[in-house]
Amino acid sequence: MPYHIGFSQKDLGTNPPEIALLSGEPERSRHIAHTYLQNVKLLSEYRGLHSYLGYSPNQKPILIATSGMGAPSLSIVVNELIQVGIKKIIRIGTCGSIQPHVLVGSVVISQAALCRQGTANDIAPPEYPAVADPFLTVALAQAAQKLDIPYHVGITASVDSFYEGQERVQSSANPNLQSWLLGITKQYLHLNILNYEMETGTLFKMASVYGFTAGCVCGVIAQRTQSEDIIAQDKNLAVERAIKVVLESIS
Ligand code: URA
């Protein structure tokens, strides 16, 4: 039994899932499982890493799993999901926009990630590329197009911290950033990086090194060219759109 996820291959039955949909929040995992899947079974709630086995309307088995916040926790969950037979992982996350044209409520489909993550360096060297599966990325974009959901495909900045690493000063307990972080959001804007989040780069590196398929869709819930704030009233819309894009891509 893998220690952290709290279930084993034999809990996945005779028709085990090869696809896992991975969210940071346990509540999102529960929502996806109970809203969109059938015959849902709770596999584990250990450490808040809630996971569910369910079936799509066309009876495809799907695992819904929780990564927790940040790359260290994600790397443990992903490692164990591969050990129980998962072959494709799609992250359904949230993010902050770094570009004026990437609006709150839209979704970002990551084609690659800049990794500013300690865990990613444990998986592969810093210069090793963090890339999504190209076919899955196209399928996600086509799904967004079909559903008429506003989307962007591009490069994501995956960083270890929500406050310091994403240059939050007014909303942080410590307004004094290290000098190398001052202005980093503007630098990323000029590098055409679309968004900030905290997990995807490590997921992508693990996919290339361990040999599984990975993709990521994040709902945009902050507009960092304007403010540090999470726009709470638009979160449900952004997350629901990300979920719908992912489910359409695997239908
Ligand atoms: N997640 C992040 O990591 N940053 C944001 O701004 C929003 C969600």
Side-chain angles (χ1 to χ4, degrees), residues 53 120 122 151:
L53 174 62
D122 289 350
Y151 74 98

Side-chain angles (χ1 to χ4, degrees), residues 11-234:
D11 297 311
L12 300 178
T14 51
N15 179 23
E18 294 200 338
I19 300 179
L21 308 185
L22 189 60
S23 298
E25 293 181 13
E27 297 79 12
R28 190 175 312 143
S29 296
R30 187 175 54 232
H31 171 68
I32 298 169
H34 288 298
T35 310
Y36 294 100
L37 299 185
Q38 300 166 356
N39 298 322
V40 172
K41 175 176 143 191
L42 175 67
L43 294 168
S44 175
E45 292 182 312
Y46 185 54
R47 291 175 182 251
L49 300 172
H50 296 198
S51 40
Y52 302 85
L53 174 62
Y55 298 85
S56 66
N58 60 3
Q59 292 312 306
K60 196 188 280 190
I62 297 177
L63 185 72
I64 307 292
T66 304
S67 66
M69 280 185 280
S73 180
L74 172 131
S75 76
I76 296 168
V77 171
V78 168
N79 192 310
E80 294 182 359
L81 291 180
I82 300 311
Q83 293 184 50
V84 299
I86 293 299
K87 307 268 187 280
K88 181 187 280 192
I89 299 179
I90 311 178
R91 168 167 146 71
I92 302 175
T94 55
C95 66
S97 166
I98 297 176
Q99 299 291 335
H101 68 282
V102 176
L103 303 179
V104 169
S106 67
V107 302
V108 172
I109 299 165
S110 304
Q111 72 181 89
L114 172 151
C115 283
R116 186 147 54 73
Q117 299 182 303
T119 309
N121 294 342
D122 289 350
I123 308 299
E127 59 273 25
Y128 189 95
V131 286
D133 179 84
F135 304 103
L136 176 54
T137 304
V138 170
L140 290 165
Q142 286 172 335
Q145 213 152 15
K146 182 172 169 195
L147 297 173
D148 208 15
I149 286 175
Y151 74 98
H152 306 268
V153 178
I155 298 172
T156 289
S158 295
V159 307
D160 272 340
S161 50
F162 179 84
Y163 289 100
E164 298 80 356
Q166 297 182 23
E167 207 185 351
R168 283 186 164 90
V169 283
Q170 284 135 24
S171 57
S172 170
N174 177 10
N176 305 305
L177 286 183
Q178 295 182 71
S179 57
W180 68 274
L181 286 167
L182 292 169
I184 199 141
T185 308
K186 191 156 236 171
Q187 280 183 42
Y188 286 177
L189 184 153
H190 293 312
L191 291 170
N192 288 326
I193 293 174
L194 299 186
N195 59 333
Y196 272 131
E197 57 78 77
M198 299 176 63
E199 291 87 9
T200 302
T202 294
L203 172 67
F204 286 175
K205 277 191 170 180
M206 291 181 85
S208 296
V209 174
Y210 301 170
F212 64 92
T213 301
C216 174
V217 185
C218 285
V220 179
I221 62 165
Q223 177 47 268
R224 296 304 314 285
T225 57
Q226 289 172 7
S227 109
E228 296 185 3
D229 299 336
I230 298 297
I231 312 299
Q233 70 267 27
D234 292 329

